[in-house]
Amino acid sequence: MYIGLGEMKEEAMLELERIRYGKKTVIKDQDLEVVIVIPISSEEKPGEETPTPVSAEEIESEKKEALEIFLVKPLIKQFAEIESSIDKSIVVSTSVNPLNYVSPVMYNPKDFSKIALRDVEKSVHTASAASSIIVDVLKKVPLIEFEKAEFVKMLRIEKVVDIEVEPSIKILDYVAHPRLAFHQLHKINYVRVDKEVGAKILRIQSLAGDVESASDEVLLEHEDVVKHFFNSSLSRMVMDRPFLILARKPMVFKERFEYIEFLKRLLRELYRVCAGGLPTPIDIRTAFEEIKLDVEAGKHIYVIDVDEAFQREVKDDVAKYVADRLRELYSQGLGFLIFYGSQDKLIKLKESLRKVLCKTVQPVEIAVLENWRIYGLANLVWGKVGFELAEIENMREDVDLDSYAVKLEEEFYRKIVMLASDLDIIISVEPSKRDEERLGGESLLHYSVKAFVVKYLKEHEKIPDHNIFTEYAIGDIVVDVYTKHSKYGDLAIEVETLYGTTIPLLKLRNTIEARLSKGLRLWIVIPNPQLMLFLTDISKLRSIYRKRYGEQVEFYTLDIEKGVLVKLSEIVKKVKQLITLQRESSNN
């Protein structure tokens, strides 16, 4: 084959090489086989994997079913020759010090400013009495000193192995470390001896007196609000024995200050506290000759309206019947037999029963104070604690005391029952398993007040649901409500209805000491009726524990209208205000 190249007349020969192909399987399974056709070079080196040779006819016959992919071998030209040369004319001087190129940081301190010594105050302040006592106590703290041990010479070695090895921490139990114990101070006469001045006697007041002046937050005996308005302290009728009550009807404002319904409700709460459960109610306003009932006091609130039952005079046979019943009181439990009547009728009844009264129970005489401020007492008993004096001072004259007290009671229990029936409350407030009033469980009042507390914490203390726990176990005690308060820390809240406790103050004392021993801050919430019955004693108990533990313990009751807890000190102030205003008006 000859190719013409323009003007060049030289001959050139093009040699064509026949290309050979080989097959190589790269993927093979039951559904697919991938075979590649690779051109085979004549310059294949030995040791290289050579595909299986295949003829051109075989390739042509398989083209119909095969996917042609031509693999072209890259042609790599020969690398150009690389020449290297070394210039040996460069010489590194050996006299150069490499450290000259390092620049260390130089420290150049400034000159010190002139320091002048100022005058030292040489006046000596006289130490206070308390600090002097502390200094002297610290100086006299007993120290433990050990004498140098004598040299011990080993005589014999016992090679006995003791299996029971006492740990070192247990051995320390036998080392007695002296400790200082400080009792509560009352009056301390302290003598401090000064070598230059001489003896100086200092008097230290009682530490308990420094806590707070509690006169404004404690009610004295003559400030018992129930005794002030009813002429008798109901809280003293707590013994397990029956009581005979002669209750005189109002003498001036006869209809407005009728109080027997109010009194019955107070006695009912008193009975539930001291005996537990509900007393049997009997109210007699029928002529005595027409009834065939046994007159008794035990487990009863037995009311006889003297003006109705003995319309004209106390007949001899009726007097003998009543006298026989009074002789039976000696073996009856707590209860109340009440003769309610006008002053004249009560005097005649006492005269008829004079002989038997000397040999049986002594009657408790009750008379209402006919003053509009007694409506304030009804407010406090049934949770309407935020009232203003002007409200009761301007009370309509046609609103009698009994009707007013009964209306307040209905409102109190209506709101209490609403809380106990609220679905959100039922889900979040656990019932107590502790027995109350010997009923085998928790009373409705206790559960409702607990719900009242939980709602108060959420709405007024802004504590989230997940941080409020009811019936929460802490060691061996169970707390009604427990929360981590942002201000007070670990806060335990105990609801105390006082039902079935017999001695209310003893129950409160045990509750306080058990909770404070766990390091908890304690709130005690007492429903309004029970608090008002025992307000004088509870205020004294609070004062005692406030002196011992400060703000770690506090007493509360309910403001049923506003839905908030009210401190006991606020109730005491309201009571003092009522009593003071009443006495001032009586003097004027």
Side-chain angles (χ1 to χ4, degrees), residues 309-521:
F310 312 121
Q311 295 181 356
R312 297 182 180 178
E313 60 181 10
V314 182
K315 296 181 180 180
D316 292 339
D317 57 341
V318 174
K320 289 180 180 180
Y321 176 81
V322 174
D324 290 341
R325 301 292 77 77
L326 294 181
R327 290 188 183 96
E328 297 171 353
L329 295 180
Y330 76 96
S331 187
Q332 296 180 18
L334 179 64
F336 309 97
L337 175 58
I338 308 170
F339 288 98
Y340 181 61
S342 60
Q343 185 174 15
D344 295 340
K345 285 292 180 68
L346 289 180
I347 292 176
K348 292 179 181 180
L349 180 64
K350 287 176 63 177
E351 184 63 26
S352 302
L353 302 174
R354 178 173 55 85
K355 293 182 180 181
V356 71
L357 289 177
C358 296
K359 300 177 182 180
T360 57
V361 62
Q362 293 298 313
V364 177
E365 298 188 13
I366 291 178
V368 70
L369 183 63
E370 299 178 47
N371 186 285
W372 56 266
R373 291 173 182 85
I374 195 173
Y375 287 82
L377 173 61
N379 284 339
L380 295 175
V381 168
W382 299 114
K384 189 178 180 181
V385 300
F387 68 94
E388 298 294 336
L389 293 177
E391 297 179 32
I392 55 177
E393 187 175 2
N394 298 324
M395 188 79 65
R396 299 199 323 267
E397 293 186 1
D398 59 340
V399 179
D400 63 277
L401 178 61
D402 269 349
S403 299
Y404 186 72
V406 171
K407 180 181 177 181
L408 290 175
E409 181 196 24
E410 291 295 325
E411 184 67 12
F412 178 84
Y413 282 109
R414 184 184 68 83
K415 292 185 177 180
I416 284 294
V417 172
M418 284 178 60
L419 279 175
S421 58
D422 189 336
L423 183 58
D424 293 335
I425 295 296
I426 293 174
I427 292 174
S428 60
V429 179
E430 291 292 331
S432 175
K433 297 180 181 179
R434 286 174 288 180
D435 187 18
E436 189 179 16
E437 291 190 278
R438 304 175 184 89
L439 300 176
E442 186 177 22
S443 68
L444 177 62
L445 179 61
H446 188 279
Y447 183 83
S448 300
V449 175
K450 189 164 58 177
F452 185 97
V453 170
V454 171
K455 187 176 181 181
Y456 168 79
L457 293 176
K458 292 179 182 179
E459 296 181 357
H460 298 275
E461 297 292 336
K462 306 303 180 184
I463 299 177
D465 291 347
H466 65 268
N467 204 18
I468 301 175
F469 307 92
T470 55
E471 298 304 315
Y472 186 75
I474 302 176
D476 57 343
I477 64 174
V478 178
V479 178
D480 286 333
V481 182
Y482 171 82
T483 183
K484 283 275 190 181
H485 199 285
S486 58
K487 181 179 179 181
Y488 303 121
D490 293 330
L491 177 61
I493 305 177
E494 290 289 356
V495 176
E496 292 294 347
T497 62
L498 305 179
Y499 287 162
T501 57
T502 306
I503 305 177
L505 295 187
L506 181 59
K507 174 62 167 64
L508 292 174
R509 190 200 75 176
N510 294 338
T511 299
I512 293 172
E513 293 182 355
R515 275 60 181 170
L516 294 183
S517 66
K518 302 294 183 183
L520 302 171
R521 192 183 185 102

Side-chain angles (χ1 to χ4, degrees), residues 46-95:
E48 292 184 356
E49 182 181 358
T50 305
T52 305
V54 62
S55 63
E57 290 78 7
E58 292 177 350
I59 294 175
E60 288 296 332
S61 64
E62 294 177 358
K63 278 185 179 182
K64 296 179 181 180
E65 299 178 359
L67 176 64
E68 291 190 30
I69 300 175
F70 293 96
L71 301 180
V72 181
K73 263 193 171 181
L75 179 62
I76 301 175
K77 295 183 178 181
Q78 186 178 3
F79 292 107
E81 184 179 358
I82 300 174
E83 297 182 356
S84 63
S85 62
I86 299 174
D87 189 357
K88 299 182 179 180
S89 62
I90 300 174
V91 179
V92 179
S93 177
T94 58
S95 62

